Amino acid sequence: VLVNVEWPEKFPFKDEDFSRFDESSDSFFYSEPRFVTHIDDPAIKALTKYYSQVFPPSNTAGVCLLDLCSSWVSHYPPGYKQSMIVGMGMNEAELKRNLVLTEYIVQDLNVNPKLPFDDNSFDVITNVVSVDYLAKPLDIFKEMNRILKPGGLAIMSFSNRCFWTKAISIWTSTGDADHVLIVGSYFHYAGGFEPPSAVDISPNPGRSDPMYIVYSRKKSIGN
């Protein structure tokens, strides 16, 4: 879907594309912890395997990761550790349970998309089945680019399941291939990223949850 895309000159989506059926406070919606997984076990296993192939080796000096829209589990490889793995999410009780995190921040990105980190701080940013809830995606992807180190990797993963009342309208009205293009457009129009790529890691098409990755790297200095 993202091969040889001819992107329009300007961001092609309108403000109403990022409206939600339920525009009530996200803080209220996520106030009660949900200690459940939002994709099935085969999809989780496929995502964890993918992470194990692209993450920096465990316990690498100076490596920092950020899990955006994190919860009580991040699906990182078993035993994976770095000196700094930050989780940003909506529910403190969930984040406290996430054993891979070294620290966490509770923040509603739809209210405040500013990420509270210095420039060039992170080697990897992950986001699992939550990109469809971002009402200010360009602001957030610009911030992601700012805080990534040159060459740093951003990995957006998603399936076809969601809280449909909280997902943006352009997501709920389109299908899987369109979702890949939508997320790719965020990278493209945010600026500062290499051309985005996509991979289908669905473990058992038609028999378990599909799983898609759209990823890009921050352009290195001089690119």
Side-chain angles (χ1 to χ4, degrees):
V1 174
L2 293 177
V3 176
N4 298 321
V5 178
E6 294 187 8
W7 299 104
E9 183 177 347
K10 295 182 179 180
F11 191 53
F13 305 119
K14 302 175 182 178
D15 289 346
E16 54 263 33
D17 292 325
F18 301 99
S19 63
R20 287 93 53 80
F21 182 83
D22 178 3
E23 291 286 7
S24 64
S25 169
D26 288 347
S27 295
F28 176 77
F29 183 81
Y30 294 105
S31 61
E32 291 296 323
R34 296 176 173 89
F35 295 113
V36 298
T37 52
H38 301 286
I39 45 177
D40 63 19
D41 288 344
I44 291 171
K45 186 177 180 180
L47 179 60
T48 299
K49 180 181 178 181
Y50 178 82
Y51 281 159
S52 71
Q53 295 168 343
V54 301
F55 276 8
S58 191
N59 292 307
T60 301
V63 165
C64 302
L65 283 78
L66 171 63
D67 190 30
L68 278 182
C69 307
S70 190
S71 65
W72 69 284
V73 62
S74 294
H75 308 308
Y76 287 8
Y80 189 79
K81 293 183 179 180
Q82 299 293 357
S83 59
M84 183 176 176
I85 302 179
V86 184
M88 288 189 71
M90 292 290 292
N91 187 280
E92 186 171 14
E94 290 182 16
L95 294 168
K96 281 183 176 179
R97 284 270 297 269
N98 192 329
L99 299 180
V100 77
L101 303 179
T102 61
E103 56 190 276
Y104 66 82
I105 297 169
V106 177
Q107 182 172 320
D108 185 346
L109 295 174
N110 287 338
V111 172
N112 177 18
K114 178 74 173 178
L115 301 179
F117 307 106
D118 293 336
D119 297 356
N120 308 315
S121 296
F122 291 93
D123 298 271
V124 180
I125 297 175
T126 56
N127 178 285
V128 182
V129 296
S130 297
V131 68
D132 44 323
Y133 303 123
L134 301 179
K136 301 176 180 178
L138 279 192
D139 292 338
I140 293 167
F141 275 63
K142 288 176 181 177
E143 279 289 282
M144 286 166 46
N145 185 269
R146 179 184 65 79
I147 67 172
L148 277 172
K149 300 174 184 177
L153 178 63
I155 305 168
M156 305 290 111
S157 61
F158 50 92
S159 185
N160 60 357
R161 294 168 58 178
C162 64
F163 298 124
W164 72 271
T165 61
K166 281 296 185 181
I168 56 174
S169 65
I170 196 173
W171 196 275
T172 57
S173 62
T174 54
D176 293 349
D178 298 299
H179 296 161
V180 170
L181 197 62
I182 289 167
V183 178
S185 77
Y186 298 164
F187 281 116
H188 176 79
Y189 291 101
F193 286 103
E194 295 178 357
S197 299
V199 59
D200 182 351
I201 62 168
S202 303
N204 300 295
R207 298 192 299 276
S208 65
D209 289 340
M211 204 66 205
Y212 308 105
I213 304 284
V214 177
Y215 66 92
S216 182
R217 290 186 180 275
K218 179 176 179 173
K219 290 181 178 179
S220 298
I221 297 173
N223 284 358

